[in-house]
């Protein structure tokens, strides 16, 4: 049951300035005639503003459920500061059940800091970034693999602003995660967390879950991570009971591998597992040729951060992301 929210405001500015302490409000903002819902949880005492969002990719559902549960259970009376919650930050993509918006099929997490292009997602991304930079002191961007992938619980941590990076890193290393991927200058370009960090605001991307349906364990992982960050920011002392995974491994290099043929996925390695050079990661039978092919680990040692688990695969489709473990060098022979 979603919390019954009585208070409504026309803007985030109005909610943050006018909303009574110890309350929850709803703000509906429109961009290009598409409405996005935000919820503002205002504590009894002043403090930082935490921005938590999900479904930047529309087919990633675990974060949506985690935010809805937080909205239902959070006690504003125990909160210091305020939380801005956006359960679905890419509504058109979510309604379509796709990674990108059907308006333009552009990956919304690759448009930030890029040269402006004549595309709905680029303009929407610019608007979203402005909202975050204007109002947030810390960003949590929840992700979940999508319809074709399973992901290990790991974080992406941008490093392009020293103070913001150090603040976020301090909190992330207290979380129960498989790995923390520090995104340097050679990392994926255009991610939201990179643009927010560059503006001097600590930002983390948290991965957990994957598949065509949300998973209770992935939702609990996100809930626990949010609670730990709230505690680390001094905003709340309560932490969701949770069985810890392990201390996160720091990753500074990733390898993304893609399929060389279209066909049927026969088997795949387990997400989160440690693999070594030459070890089989995925096995595919091509269609209609019925020829088997294998994708193997190309480095001495790595951790599987995400891996394709859907039955069908496509040529040049995303297969696996490996976090290269320290001291592991790419195999130059193959």
């Amino acid at each position: 049951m979603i919390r019954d929210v009585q208070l409504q405001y026309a803007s985030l500015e109005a909610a943050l300035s006018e909303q009574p302490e110890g309350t929850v409000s709803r703000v509906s903002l429109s961009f290009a005639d598409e409405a996005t819902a935000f919820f503002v949880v205002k504590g009894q005492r002043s403090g930082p503003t935490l921005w938590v969002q999900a479904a930047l990719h529309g087919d990633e559902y675990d974060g949506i459920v985690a935010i809805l549960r937080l909205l239902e259970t959070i006690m504003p009376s125990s909160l210091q500061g305020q939380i801005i919650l956006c359960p679905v930050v890419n509504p058109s993509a979510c309604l379509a059940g796709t990674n990108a918006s059907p308006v333009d099929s552009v990956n919304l997490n690759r448009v930030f800091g890029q040269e402006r292009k004549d595309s709905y997602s680029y303009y929407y991304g610019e608007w979203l970034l402005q909202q975050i930079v204007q109002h947030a002191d810390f960003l949590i961007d929840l992700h979940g693999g999508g319809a074709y992938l399973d992901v290990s619980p790991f974080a992406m941590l941008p490093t392009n602003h020293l103070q913001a990076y150090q603040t976020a890193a301090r909190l992330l290393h207290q979380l129960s995660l498989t790995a923390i991927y520090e995104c340097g200058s050679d990392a994926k370009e255009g991610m939201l967390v990179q643009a927010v960090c560059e503006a001097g605001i600590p930002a983390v991307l948290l991965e957990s879950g994957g598949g065509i349906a949300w998973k209770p364990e992935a939702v609990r992982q996100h809930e626990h991570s949010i609670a730990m960050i709230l505690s680390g920011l001094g905003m709340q002392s309560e932490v969701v009971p949770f069985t810890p995974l392990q201390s996160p491994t720091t990753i500074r290099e990733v390898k993304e591998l893609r399929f060389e043929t279209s066909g049927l996925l026969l088997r795949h390695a387990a997400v989160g597992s440690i693999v070594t050079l030459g070890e089989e990661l995925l096995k595919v039978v091509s269609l209609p040729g019925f020829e088997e092919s294998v994708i193997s680990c190309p480095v001495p040692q790595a951790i599987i951060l995400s891996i394709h688990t859907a039955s069908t695969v496509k040529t040049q489709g995303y297969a696996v992301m490996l976090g290269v473990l320290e001291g592991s060098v790419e195999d130059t022979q193959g």
Side-chain angles (χ1 to χ4, degrees):
M1 186 76 179
I2 303 303
R3 181 193 296 264
D4 183 23
V5 178
Q6 302 294 329
L7 295 174
Q8 298 199 36
Y9 293 92
S11 68
L12 291 173
E13 291 86 352
L16 293 172
S17 61
E18 301 172 17
Q19 183 176 330
E21 295 177 345
T23 62
V24 180
S25 72
R26 178 182 179 127
V27 178
S28 182
L29 301 181
S30 294
F31 178 86
D33 298 325
E34 181 175 62
T36 303
F38 298 83
F39 297 89
V40 178
V41 183
K42 198 164 189 178
Q44 291 282 17
R45 295 167 292 166
S46 62
T49 299
L50 174 65
W51 183 296
V52 187
Q53 66 175 44
L56 191 67
H57 294 143
D59 61 348
E60 300 180 6
Y61 308 112
D62 306 277
I64 300 174
V65 179
I67 291 179
L68 293 179
R69 288 188 177 175
L70 177 62
L71 181 61
E72 179 185 353
T73 59
I74 189 88
M75 298 297 294
S77 59
S78 67
L79 184 66
Q80 181 169 334
Q82 45 274 323
I83 311 174
I84 299 173
L85 299 169
C86 185
V88 178
V89 79
N90 194 348
S92 59
C94 190
L95 287 172
T98 54
N99 175 286
S101 171
V103 175
D104 56 14
S105 299
V106 170
N107 184 342
L108 186 53
N109 204 30
R110 295 294 181 273
V111 304
F112 299 95
Q114 304 296 300
E115 182 180 349
R116 176 181 284 190
K117 297 183 180 180
D118 187 16
S119 164
Y120 166 82
S121 292
Y122 281 85
Y123 290 120
Y124 176 75
E126 184 176 309
W127 173 84
L128 176 65
L129 177 61
Q130 290 173 353
Q131 298 294 324
I132 296 171
V133 170
Q134 288 173 12
H135 301 112
D137 298 310
F138 197 107
L139 167 67
I140 300 176
D141 187 19
L142 300 178
H143 286 250
Y148 301 99
L149 301 173
D150 275 356
V151 296
S152 176
F154 77 98
M156 293 189 182
L157 173 63
T159 63
N160 51 343
H161 185 287
L162 181 59
Q163 186 174 354
Y165 156 72
Q166 290 175 336
T167 298
R170 174 179 60 84
L171 297 182
L172 276 184
H173 280 281
Q174 299 174 18
L175 304 189
S176 179
L177 299 168
T178 301
I180 298 171
Y181 169 37
E182 295 193 349
C183 307
S185 57
D186 57 345
K188 294 180 179 180
E189 294 297 326
M191 292 194 300
L192 173 62
V193 290
Q194 292 173 307
V196 173
C197 179
E198 189 173 27
I201 299 169
V204 297
L205 186 158
L206 298 178
E207 291 272 15
S208 183
I212 61 173
W214 62 271
K215 300 175 180 177
E217 62 272 21
V219 171
R220 287 194 294 270
Q221 173 70 43
H222 278 325
E223 288 182 286
H224 180 73
S225 295
I226 295 168
M228 290 294 290
I229 290 175
L230 280 168
S231 177
L233 291 171
M235 298 177 67
Q236 197 174 43
S237 58
E238 297 179 4
V239 175
V240 178
F242 191 76
T243 302
L245 291 169
Q246 60 190 57
S247 297
T249 300
T250 298
I251 299 294
R252 294 186 175 86
E253 179 187 355
V254 297
K255 293 287 293 182
E256 291 186 350
L257 307 179
R258 295 184 175 271
F259 294 107
E260 295 183 356
T261 185
S262 297
L264 183 71
L265 181 66
L266 297 179
R267 59 175 177 258
H268 60 84
V271 70
S273 59
I274 304 295
V275 291
T276 57
L277 181 65
E279 187 171 341
E280 179 183 301
L281 303 176
L282 306 106
K283 189 171 186 178
V284 174
V285 59
S286 67
L287 297 176
F290 295 100
E291 297 177 348
E292 291 187 354
S293 62
V294 170
I295 294 179
S296 302
C297 179
V299 296
Q301 193 174 47
I303 185 169
I304 300 177
L305 298 179
S306 65
I307 195 163
H308 186 106
T309 56
S311 295
T312 58
V313 307
K314 295 181 179 180
T315 303
Q316 289 306 303
Y318 190 99
V320 62
M321 176 192 284
L322 298 174
V324 180
L325 295 179
E326 203 70 30
S328 186
V329 181
E330 183 177 357
D331 176 26
T332 57
Q333 302 301 314

